[in-house]
PDB file of all heavy atoms in Angstrom:
ATOM      1  N   TYR A  73      -4.516 -13.440 -13.908  1.00 94.00           N
ATOM      2  CA  TYR A  73      -4.685 -13.379 -12.522  1.00 94.00           C
ATOM      3  C   TYR A  73      -5.163 -11.966 -12.126  1.00 94.00           C
ATOM      4  O   TYR A  73      -4.587 -10.988 -12.658  1.00 94.00           O
ATOM      5  CB  TYR A  73      -3.427 -13.715 -11.782  1.00 94.00           C
ATOM      6  CG  TYR A  73      -3.098 -15.152 -11.813  1.00 94.00           C
ATOM      7  CD1 TYR A  73      -2.427 -15.754 -12.811  1.00 94.00           C
ATOM      8  CD2 TYR A  73      -3.483 -15.980 -10.748  1.00 94.00           C
ATOM      9  CE1 TYR A  73      -2.167 -17.133 -12.801  1.00 94.00           C
ATOM     10  CE2 TYR A  73      -3.258 -17.303 -10.776  1.00 94.00           C
ATOM     11  CZ  TYR A  73      -2.575 -17.864 -11.791  1.00 94.00           C
ATOM     12  OH  TYR A  73      -2.366 -19.208 -11.800  1.00 94.00           O
ATOM     13  N   TRP A  74      -6.227 -11.816 -11.396  1.00 95.00           N
ATOM     14  CA  TRP A  74      -6.889 -10.526 -11.098  1.00 95.00           C
ATOM     15  C   TRP A  74      -6.724 -10.275  -9.626  1.00 95.00           C
ATOM     16  O   TRP A  74      -7.100 -11.151  -8.770  1.00 95.00           O
ATOM     17  CB  TRP A  74      -8.306 -10.520 -11.488  1.00 95.00           C
ATOM     18  CG  TRP A  74      -8.529 -10.719 -13.011  1.00 95.00           C
ATOM     19  CD1 TRP A  74      -8.613 -11.877 -13.653  1.00 95.00           C
ATOM     20  CD2 TRP A  74      -8.609  -9.622 -13.951  1.00 95.00           C
ATOM     21  NE1 TRP A  74      -8.779 -11.588 -15.017  1.00 95.00           N
ATOM     22  CE2 TRP A  74      -8.739 -10.245 -15.214  1.00 95.00           C
ATOM     23  CE3 TRP A  74      -8.625  -8.281 -13.883  1.00 95.00           C
ATOM     24  CZ2 TRP A  74      -8.941  -9.592 -16.393  1.00 95.00           C
ATOM     25  CZ3 TRP A  74      -8.746  -7.487 -15.035  1.00 95.00           C
ATOM     26  CH2 TRP A  74      -8.888  -8.171 -16.295  1.00 95.00           C
ATOM     27  N   LEU A  75      -6.333  -9.087  -9.209  1.00 93.00           N
ATOM     28  CA  LEU A  75      -6.281  -8.739  -7.813  1.00 93.00           C
ATOM     29  C   LEU A  75      -7.277  -7.578  -7.620  1.00 93.00           C
ATOM     30  O   LEU A  75      -7.336  -6.562  -8.322  1.00 93.00           O
ATOM     31  CB  LEU A  75      -4.835  -8.182  -7.503  1.00 93.00           C
ATOM     32  CG  LEU A  75      -4.682  -7.363  -6.210  1.00 93.00           C
ATOM     33  CD1 LEU A  75      -4.917  -8.301  -5.064  1.00 93.00           C
ATOM     34  CD2 LEU A  75      -3.282  -6.734  -6.176  1.00 93.00           C
ATOM     35  N   ARG A  76      -8.082  -7.744  -6.509  1.00 91.00           N
ATOM     36  CA  ARG A  76      -9.050  -6.749  -6.118  1.00 91.00           C
ATOM     37  C   ARG A  76      -8.459  -6.104  -4.939  1.00 91.00           C
ATOM     38  O   ARG A  76      -8.281  -6.720  -3.917  1.00 91.00           O
ATOM     39  CB  ARG A  76     -10.416  -7.197  -5.916  1.00 91.00           C
ATOM     40  CG  ARG A  76     -11.344  -6.030  -5.480  1.00 91.00           C
ATOM     41  CD  ARG A  76     -12.758  -6.395  -5.172  1.00 91.00           C
ATOM     42  NE  ARG A  76     -13.101  -7.766  -4.945  1.00 91.00           N
ATOM     43  CZ  ARG A  76     -14.329  -8.243  -5.236  1.00 91.00           C
ATOM     44  NH1 ARG A  76     -15.247  -7.536  -5.814  1.00 91.00           N
ATOM     45  NH2 ARG A  76     -14.628  -9.604  -4.997  1.00 91.00           N
ATOM     46  N   ARG A  77      -8.150  -4.773  -4.998  1.00 88.00           N
ATOM     47  CA  ARG A  77      -7.599  -4.116  -3.843  1.00 88.00           C
ATOM     48  C   ARG A  77      -8.284  -2.769  -3.691  1.00 88.00           C
ATOM     49  O   ARG A  77      -8.251  -1.977  -4.608  1.00 88.00           O
ATOM     50  CB  ARG A  77      -6.102  -3.935  -3.982  1.00 88.00           C
ATOM     51  CG  ARG A  77      -5.415  -3.270  -2.696  1.00 88.00           C
ATOM     52  CD  ARG A  77      -3.943  -3.155  -2.879  1.00 88.00           C
ATOM     53  NE  ARG A  77      -3.241  -4.347  -2.512  1.00 88.00           N
ATOM     54  CZ  ARG A  77      -2.001  -4.489  -2.550  1.00 88.00           C
ATOM     55  NH1 ARG A  77      -1.249  -3.443  -2.999  1.00 88.00           N
ATOM     56  NH2 ARG A  77      -1.369  -5.625  -2.165  1.00 88.00           N
ATOM     57  N   ASP A  78      -8.955  -2.673  -2.536  1.00 84.00           N
ATOM     58  CA  ASP A  78      -9.765  -1.418  -2.280  1.00 84.00           C
ATOM     59  C   ASP A  78     -10.802  -1.365  -3.397  1.00 84.00           C
ATOM     60  O   ASP A  78     -11.520  -2.323  -3.679  1.00 84.00           O
ATOM     61  CB  ASP A  78      -8.946  -0.139  -2.196  1.00 84.00           C
ATOM     62  CG  ASP A  78      -7.984  -0.296  -1.036  1.00 84.00           C
ATOM     63  OD1 ASP A  78      -8.292  -0.848  -0.024  1.00 84.00           O
ATOM     64  OD2 ASP A  78      -6.789   0.214  -1.146  1.00 84.00           O
ATOM     65  N   ALA A  79     -10.900  -0.243  -4.151  1.00 83.00           N
ATOM     66  CA  ALA A  79     -11.849  -0.100  -5.288  1.00 83.00           C
ATOM     67  C   ALA A  79     -11.222  -0.390  -6.548  1.00 83.00           C
ATOM     68  O   ALA A  79     -11.823  -0.302  -7.638  1.00 83.00           O
ATOM     69  CB  ALA A  79     -12.465   1.236  -5.288  1.00 83.00           C
ATOM     70  N   GLY A  80      -9.942  -0.762  -6.624  1.00 91.00           N
ATOM     71  CA  GLY A  80      -9.231  -0.976  -7.921  1.00 91.00           C
ATOM     72  C   GLY A  80      -8.948  -2.346  -8.287  1.00 91.00           C
ATOM     73  O   GLY A  80      -9.028  -3.315  -7.417  1.00 91.00           O
ATOM     74  N   TRP A  81      -8.681  -2.596  -9.527  1.00 95.00           N
ATOM     75  CA  TRP A  81      -8.365  -3.923 -10.042  1.00 95.00           C
ATOM     76  C   TRP A  81      -7.046  -3.890 -10.738  1.00 95.00           C
ATOM     77  O   TRP A  81      -6.646  -2.963 -11.443  1.00 95.00           O
ATOM     78  CB  TRP A  81      -9.461  -4.382 -11.022  1.00 95.00           C
ATOM     79  CG  TRP A  81     -10.682  -4.756 -10.421  1.00 95.00           C
ATOM     80  CD1 TRP A  81     -11.801  -4.014 -10.144  1.00 95.00           C
ATOM     81  CD2 TRP A  81     -11.093  -6.096  -9.915  1.00 95.00           C
ATOM     82  NE1 TRP A  81     -12.779  -4.708  -9.494  1.00 95.00           N
ATOM     83  CE2 TRP A  81     -12.373  -6.022  -9.351  1.00 95.00           C
ATOM     84  CE3 TRP A  81     -10.367  -7.328  -9.861  1.00 95.00           C
ATOM     85  CZ2 TRP A  81     -13.002  -7.124  -8.769  1.00 95.00           C
ATOM     86  CZ3 TRP A  81     -11.027  -8.426  -9.339  1.00 95.00           C
ATOM     87  CH2 TRP A  81     -12.301  -8.331  -8.805  1.00 95.00           C
ATOM     88  N   TYR A  82      -6.323  -5.049 -10.548  1.00 94.00           N
ATOM     89  CA  TYR A  82      -4.949  -5.176 -11.155  1.00 94.00           C
ATOM     90  C   TYR A  82      -4.960  -6.555 -11.769  1.00 94.00           C
ATOM     91  O   TYR A  82      -5.673  -7.458 -11.341  1.00 94.00           O
ATOM     92  CB  TYR A  82      -3.931  -5.135 -10.114  1.00 94.00           C
ATOM     93  CG  TYR A  82      -3.959  -3.825  -9.298  1.00 94.00           C
ATOM     94  CD1 TYR A  82      -4.871  -3.591  -8.275  1.00 94.00           C
ATOM     95  CD2 TYR A  82      -3.077  -2.739  -9.646  1.00 94.00           C
ATOM     96  CE1 TYR A  82      -4.943  -2.379  -7.549  1.00 94.00           C
ATOM     97  CE2 TYR A  82      -3.168  -1.552  -8.934  1.00 94.00           C
ATOM     98  CZ  TYR A  82      -4.073  -1.398  -7.918  1.00 94.00           C
ATOM     99  OH  TYR A  82      -4.057  -0.238  -7.274  1.00 94.00           O
ATOM    100  N   ARG A  83      -4.099  -6.767 -12.810  1.00 94.00           N
ATOM    101  CA  ARG A  83      -3.977  -8.086 -13.393  1.00 94.00           C
ATOM    102  C   ARG A  83      -2.567  -8.447 -13.816  1.00 94.00           C
ATOM    103  O   ARG A  83      -1.758  -7.517 -14.008  1.00 94.00           O
ATOM    104  CB  ARG A  83      -4.928  -8.195 -14.569  1.00 94.00           C
ATOM    105  CG  ARG A  83      -4.435  -7.526 -15.821  1.00 94.00           C
ATOM    106  CD  ARG A  83      -5.452  -7.761 -17.031  1.00 94.00           C
ATOM    107  NE  ARG A  83      -4.924  -7.208 -18.183  1.00 94.00           N
ATOM    108  CZ  ARG A  83      -5.514  -7.112 -19.345  1.00 94.00           C
ATOM    109  NH1 ARG A  83      -6.678  -7.661 -19.490  1.00 94.00           N
ATOM    110  NH2 ARG A  83      -4.894  -6.546 -20.411  1.00 94.00           N
ATOM    111  N   ALA A  84      -2.366  -9.692 -13.938  1.00 94.00           N
ATOM    112  CA  ALA A  84      -1.050 -10.242 -14.408  1.00 94.00           C
ATOM    113  C   ALA A  84      -1.297 -11.577 -15.092  1.00 94.00           C
ATOM    114  O   ALA A  84      -2.240 -12.270 -14.839  1.00 94.00           O
ATOM    115  CB  ALA A  84      -0.124 -10.433 -13.185  1.00 94.00           C
ATOM    116  N   ARG A  85      -0.359 -11.819 -16.069  1.00 94.00           N
ATOM    117  CA  ARG A  85      -0.441 -13.129 -16.732  1.00 94.00           C
ATOM    118  C   ARG A  85      -0.050 -14.279 -15.850  1.00 94.00           C
ATOM    119  O   ARG A  85      -0.495 -15.382 -16.039  1.00 94.00           O
ATOM    120  CB  ARG A  85       0.496 -13.103 -18.014  1.00 94.00           C
ATOM    121  CG  ARG A  85      -0.202 -12.471 -19.191  1.00 94.00           C
ATOM    122  CD  ARG A  85      -1.115 -13.451 -19.831  1.00 94.00           C
ATOM    123  NE  ARG A  85      -1.760 -12.833 -21.021  1.00 94.00           N
ATOM    124  CZ  ARG A  85      -2.767 -13.261 -21.581  1.00 94.00           C
ATOM    125  NH1 ARG A  85      -3.437 -14.281 -21.068  1.00 94.00           N
ATOM    126  NH2 ARG A  85      -3.305 -12.716 -22.591  1.00 94.00           N
ATOM    127  N   ARG A  86       0.865 -14.054 -14.946  1.00 92.00           N
ATOM    128  CA  ARG A  86       1.387 -15.143 -14.089  1.00 92.00           C
ATOM    129  C   ARG A  86       1.175 -14.626 -12.624  1.00 92.00           C
ATOM    130  O   ARG A  86       1.252 -13.461 -12.298  1.00 92.00           O
ATOM    131  CB  ARG A  86       2.826 -15.430 -14.365  1.00 92.00           C
ATOM    132  CG  ARG A  86       3.062 -15.920 -15.755  1.00 92.00           C
ATOM    133  CD  ARG A  86       4.598 -16.202 -16.007  1.00 92.00           C
ATOM    134  NE  ARG A  86       5.550 -15.207 -15.441  1.00 92.00           N
ATOM    135  CZ  ARG A  86       5.820 -14.053 -15.971  1.00 92.00           C
ATOM    136  NH1 ARG A  86       5.230 -13.656 -17.043  1.00 92.00           N
ATOM    137  NH2 ARG A  86       6.715 -13.216 -15.320  1.00 92.00           N
ATOM    138  N   PRO A  87       1.028 -15.577 -11.711  1.00 90.00           N
ATOM    139  CA  PRO A  87       0.706 -15.193 -10.275  1.00 90.00           C
ATOM    140  C   PRO A  87       1.966 -14.518  -9.654  1.00 90.00           C
ATOM    141  O   PRO A  87       1.782 -13.714  -8.753  1.00 90.00           O
ATOM    142  CB  PRO A  87       0.418 -16.489  -9.649  1.00 90.00           C
ATOM    143  CG  PRO A  87       0.977 -17.547 -10.455  1.00 90.00           C
ATOM    144  CD  PRO A  87       0.952 -17.022 -11.904  1.00 90.00           C
ATOM    145  N   ASN A  88       3.198 -14.860 -10.087  1.00 88.00           N
ATOM    146  CA  ASN A  88       4.316 -14.247  -9.505  1.00 88.00           C
ATOM    147  C   ASN A  88       4.906 -13.042 -10.234  1.00 88.00           C
ATOM    148  O   ASN A  88       5.997 -12.537  -9.939  1.00 88.00           O
ATOM    149  CB  ASN A  88       5.446 -15.344  -9.319  1.00 88.00           C
ATOM    150  CG  ASN A  88       5.812 -15.992 -10.609  1.00 88.00           C
ATOM    151  OD1 ASN A  88       5.134 -15.868 -11.585  1.00 88.00           O
ATOM    152  ND2 ASN A  88       6.910 -16.792 -10.578  1.00 88.00           N
ATOM    153  N   ALA A  89       4.123 -12.572 -11.179  1.00 90.00           N
ATOM    154  CA  ALA A  89       4.491 -11.341 -11.945  1.00 90.00           C
ATOM    155  C   ALA A  89       3.929 -10.113 -11.211  1.00 90.00           C
ATOM    156  O   ALA A  89       3.013 -10.267 -10.405  1.00 90.00           O
ATOM    157  CB  ALA A  89       4.032 -11.417 -13.418  1.00 90.00           C
ATOM    158  N   ALA A  90       4.390  -8.947 -11.620  1.00 89.00           N
ATOM    159  CA  ALA A  90       3.799  -7.714 -11.110  1.00 89.00           C
ATOM    160  C   ALA A  90       2.413  -7.497 -11.629  1.00 89.00           C
ATOM    161  O   ALA A  90       2.175  -7.633 -12.817  1.00 89.00           O
ATOM    162  CB  ALA A  90       4.692  -6.477 -11.447  1.00 89.00           C
ATOM    163  N   PHE A  91       1.499  -7.102 -10.785  1.00 90.00           N
ATOM    164  CA  PHE A  91       0.126  -6.842 -11.183  1.00 90.00           C
ATOM    165  C   PHE A  91       0.042  -5.387 -11.610  1.00 90.00           C
ATOM    166  O   PHE A  91       0.471  -4.513 -10.905  1.00 90.00           O
ATOM    167  CB  PHE A  91      -0.893  -7.149 -10.002  1.00 90.00           C
ATOM    168  CG  PHE A  91      -1.130  -8.574  -9.837  1.00 90.00           C
ATOM    169  CD1 PHE A  91      -0.137  -9.418  -9.335  1.00 90.00           C
ATOM    170  CD2 PHE A  91      -2.337  -9.142 -10.146  1.00 90.00           C
ATOM    171  CE1 PHE A  91      -0.376 -10.768  -9.121  1.00 90.00           C
ATOM    172  CE2 PHE A  91      -2.579 -10.530  -9.921  1.00 90.00           C
ATOM    173  CZ  PHE A  91      -1.649 -11.318  -9.470  1.00 90.00           C
ATOM    174  N   VAL A  92      -0.585  -5.104 -12.779  1.00 92.00           N
ATOM    175  CA  VAL A  92      -0.680  -3.759 -13.390  1.00 92.00           C
ATOM    176  C   VAL A  92      -2.192  -3.335 -13.182  1.00 92.00           C
ATOM    177  O   VAL A  92      -3.113  -4.104 -13.470  1.00 92.00           O
ATOM    178  CB  VAL A  92      -0.307  -3.806 -14.794  1.00 92.00           C
ATOM    179  CG1 VAL A  92      -0.460  -2.495 -15.461  1.00 92.00           C
ATOM    180  CG2 VAL A  92       1.116  -4.333 -14.966  1.00 92.00           C
ATOM    181  N   HIS A  93      -2.321  -2.076 -12.841  1.00 93.00           N
ATOM    182  CA  HIS A  93      -3.695  -1.494 -12.680  1.00 93.00           C
ATOM    183  C   HIS A  93      -4.437  -1.560 -14.000  1.00 93.00           C
ATOM    184  O   HIS A  93      -3.900  -1.454 -15.058  1.00 93.00           O
ATOM    185  CB  HIS A  93      -3.619  -0.028 -12.254  1.00 93.00           C
ATOM    186  CG  HIS A  93      -4.890   0.583 -12.026  1.00 93.00           C
ATOM    187  ND1 HIS A  93      -5.602   1.282 -12.948  1.00 93.00           N
ATOM    188  CD2 HIS A  93      -5.709   0.503 -10.941  1.00 93.00           C
ATOM    189  CE1 HIS A  93      -6.749   1.716 -12.473  1.00 93.00           C
ATOM    190  NE2 HIS A  93      -6.861   1.262 -11.285  1.00 93.00           N
ATOM    191  N   VAL A  94      -5.782  -1.885 -13.873  1.00 93.00           N
ATOM    192  CA  VAL A  94      -6.646  -2.109 -15.065  1.00 93.00           C
ATOM    193  C   VAL A  94      -7.815  -1.156 -14.858  1.00 93.00           C
ATOM    194  O   VAL A  94      -8.395  -1.050 -13.819  1.00 93.00           O
ATOM    195  CB  VAL A  94      -7.133  -3.541 -15.121  1.00 93.00           C
ATOM    196  CG1 VAL A  94      -8.037  -3.751 -16.302  1.00 93.00           C
ATOM    197  CG2 VAL A  94      -5.912  -4.496 -15.250  1.00 93.00           C
ATOM    198  N   GLU A  95      -8.225  -0.566 -15.928  1.00 93.00           N
ATOM    199  CA  GLU A  95      -9.449   0.303 -15.930  1.00 93.00           C
ATOM    200  C   GLU A  95     -10.637  -0.554 -15.596  1.00 93.00           C
ATOM    201  O   GLU A  95     -10.704  -1.731 -16.075  1.00 93.00           O
ATOM    202  CB  GLU A  95      -9.671   0.945 -17.310  1.00 93.00           C
ATOM    203  CG  GLU A  95      -8.542   1.908 -17.637  1.00 93.00           C
ATOM    204  CD  GLU A  95      -8.535   3.078 -16.662  1.00 93.00           C
ATOM    205  OE1 GLU A  95      -9.593   3.584 -16.282  1.00 93.00           O
ATOM    206  OE2 GLU A  95      -7.408   3.441 -16.280  1.00 93.00           O
ATOM    207  N   PRO A  96     -11.576  -0.070 -14.904  1.00 90.00           N
ATOM    208  CA  PRO A  96     -12.783  -0.886 -14.481  1.00 90.00           C
ATOM    209  C   PRO A  96     -13.561  -1.527 -15.648  1.00 90.00           C
ATOM    210  O   PRO A  96     -14.020  -2.638 -15.549  1.00 90.00           O
ATOM    211  CB  PRO A  96     -13.632   0.110 -13.683  1.00 90.00           C
ATOM    212  CG  PRO A  96     -12.761   1.141 -13.288  1.00 90.00           C
ATOM    213  CD  PRO A  96     -11.613   1.263 -14.285  1.00 90.00           C
TER     214      PRO A  96
END
Side-chain angles (χ1 to χ4, degrees):
Y73 283 86
W74 297 87
L75 164 68
R76 177 176 22 207
R77 185 178 273 181
D78 301 322
W81 284 92
Y82 303 81
R83 76 177 184 185
R85 276 281 182 198
R86 296 179 324 279
N88 56 348
F91 283 71
V92 178
H93 183 263
V94 177
E95 293 300 317

